[in-house]
Amino acid sequence: MARVHNFCAGPAALPLEVLEQAQQEMLDWQGAGLSVMEMSHRSPEIVKIFEEAEQDLRDLMAIPDDYAVLFLQGGASTQFSAIPLNLLGDKGAADYVNTGQWSKKAIKEAKRYADVNVVASSEDDNFASIPAFDSWNLNADAAYLHYTPNETIGGVEFFWEPETQGVPLVADMSSTILSRPVDVSKFGVIYAGAQKNIGPAGLTLVIVRKDLLGNAADATPTMLDWKTIADNDSMYNTPPTYAVYLAGLVFKWLKKQGGLDAMEQINRRKAEKLYGYIDASDFYANPVEIASRSLMNVPFTLANADLDKAFLKGADEIGLLNLKGHRSVGGMRASIYNAVPEQAIDDLIAYMQKFAAENA
Ligand SMILES: *Cc1c(COP(=O)(O)O)cnc(C)c1O
């Protein structure tokens, strides 16, 4: 067996230990005589798997008791609609920050339901920075403020939280969740597709302050009303049982690494190495302002875009996979989530050095 280094933005690398445990338990989960995939979601085994996954996540993120943890389907993209449907109430207006492609998608969907006020945008700067907070045009009467703490495509990350003066803060943490500690109590809602830092595709996580439940618009589909899901312990209908099981294994793996403080140290070291090399080289470049460079997604360009194909081909040949940048921006992107080992960064830098030397 030869495992490659997977730099995919999502679905992304999973910890090898997690995959090995899943493999070992595939046919017979802990003596139950069947696979987790084959179990009724009403069975005591699945209930235990869900409860443990939730508790481990609560431990990792220090989620306060007045927050509900929901395991859903439909991806972060479905939450782009669920957010206004659940939170607008009688307000009608919501604030959004536009820092990249995922912000734009969230804004586009919210406009179907809400009077959307884009409080700040870095689009004129090609999404290479975050607008200074004192320039934001916040509405004190907005139903909520939505932002994207890590723009997966542009590689732009917030290392601070907006101050909202009581307006619930809503964060699409799809590509940054669990990469470092966050103070959950600052947020009204945190949501994330699982396929970056949580587990396999097919699972979506919502962490919502309980007082925000129960205000969904009348026309809200039952499955999109967070209260329905909260009242039924994420089992109103058949939940993505195997994905929650794998996420639970990832949470236990994260605890074993030392939790999110330890992950932050590792992630900072990995990112600093890669940015450090890119900045020192005159062959590669990263366009993002230094204070807002993502720890998880590192876009970079080559001095000559005509070499992109050769770069990717050579990388593939030595097992450095999925380095092609998003189709909307081009160039390269290395996604270096929790499960991407430090060795992958070292191997990537060694390859980049060699390629630059041969093509400069
Ligand atoms: C990947 C991603 C999404 C889309 O997630 P889906 O689960 O595919 O809907 C949304 N926002 C961010 C920040 C992402 O990284």
Side-chain angles (χ1 to χ4, degrees):
M1 182 183 73
R3 298 261 309 161
V4 298
H5 290 313
N6 182 11
F7 296 98
C8 191
L14 284 163
L16 182 57
E17 281 172 57
V18 165
L19 295 175
E20 283 170 343
Q21 184 175 346
Q23 177 185 45
Q24 200 231 322
E25 295 180 334
M26 171 65 81
L27 302 182
D28 175 7
W29 181 78
Q30 300 188 5
L34 72 171
S35 165
V36 171
M37 271 182 261
E38 302 169 292
M39 291 174 180
S40 162
H41 59 294
R42 309 289 178 202
S43 66
E45 289 87 352
I46 290 291
V47 170
K48 177 170 181 271
I49 285 168
F50 272 54
E51 284 175 355
E52 262 185 54
E54 178 175 338
Q55 189 57 53
D56 286 333
L57 181 69
R58 284 184 179 276
D59 296 346
L60 281 166
M61 294 183 71
I63 300 173
D65 288 342
D66 60 331
Y67 284 73
V69 172
L70 313 180
F71 297 121
L72 309 168
Q73 302 188 54
S77 302
T78 298
Q79 296 307 312
F80 293 163
S81 333
I83 286 157
L85 284 167
N86 279 274
L87 297 180
L88 277 174
D90 48 21
K91 296 233 177 204
D95 282 355
Y96 277 73
V97 187
N98 180 16
T99 50
Q101 303 300 330
W102 288 115
S103 295
K104 281 176 80 166
K105 285 203 166 170
I107 288 166
K108 184 167 177 227
E109 192 63 19
K111 281 184 171 164
R112 297 162 57 88
Y113 309 96
D115 178 5
V116 170
N117 169 33
V118 177
V119 301
S121 172
S122 54
E123 191 153 15
D124 288 347
D125 186 32
N126 234 341
F127 296 127
S129 59
I130 293 172
F133 184 62
D134 59 15
S135 73
W136 294 18
N137 175 29
L138 293 166
N139 168 11
D141 202 35
Y144 59 91
L145 168 67
H146 179 282
Y147 80 118
T148 309
N150 185 63
E151 285 284 358
T152 320
I153 293 170
V156 176
E157 182 164 358
F158 285 73
F159 294 96
W160 47 278
E161 288 90 27
E163 293 291 335
T164 57
Q165 316 293 353
V167 172
L169 184 60
V170 178
D172 175 0
M173 289 203 189
S174 294
S175 52
T176 178
I177 194 161
L178 298 172
S179 66
R180 54 191 173 90
V182 290
D183 181 352
V184 174
S185 71
K186 289 187 174 168
F187 296 87
V189 181
I190 291 170
Y191 68 104
Q195 65 274 17
K196 280 93 186 216
N197 243 351
I198 296 174
L203 169 66
T204 312
L205 181 71
V206 170
I207 301 167
V208 51
R209 212 175 60 218
K210 286 178 184 167
D211 66 284
L212 297 173
L213 297 171
N215 302 315
D218 287 345
T220 306
T222 305
M223 285 296 298
L224 294 192
D225 184 345
W226 294 329
K227 187 167 177 359
T228 311
I229 311 299
D231 286 349
N232 291 278
D233 297 325
S234 298
M235 295 203 191
Y236 177 76
N237 75 330
T238 316
T241 48
Y242 198 74
V244 172
Y245 157 72
L246 277 177
L249 295 184
V250 170
F251 300 156
K252 288 199 189 301
W253 177 81
L254 286 169
K255 281 181 146 180
K256 233 171 81 183
Q257 309 309 304
L260 301 192
D261 287 317
M263 291 318 299
E264 174 166 17
Q265 279 186 31
I266 298 167
N267 286 325
R268 284 196 183 277
R269 200 162 63 225
K270 281 157 56 182
E272 274 163 23
K273 247 187 204 177
L274 187 49
Y275 286 116
Y277 171 68
I278 290 169
D279 288 345
S281 131
D282 41 27
F283 190 81
Y284 302 100
N286 168 282
V288 180
E289 66 175 351
I290 290 178
S292 308
R293 283 174 163 181
S294 169
L295 298 183
M296 295 285 104
N297 308 97
V298 183
F300 61 92
T301 52
L302 276 53
N304 173 359
D306 292 343
L307 294 168
D308 284 3
K309 270 209 172 100
F311 180 90
L312 289 166
K313 184 162 177 286
D316 260 36
E317 280 165 10
I318 58 165
L320 305 173
L321 255 59
N322 292 315
L323 286 163
K324 193 174 196 306
H326 191 269
R327 59 187 184 280
S328 64
V329 293
M332 306 297 152
R333 173 178 47 168
S335 293
I336 52 174
Y337 298 117
N338 284 340
V340 175
E342 201 156 346
Q343 186 64 49
I345 313 297
D346 294 339
D347 292 357
L348 173 59
I349 291 172
Y351 170 67
M352 290 168 75
Q353 266 165 340
K354 182 165 170 283
F355 187 88
E358 287 167 3
N359 293 280

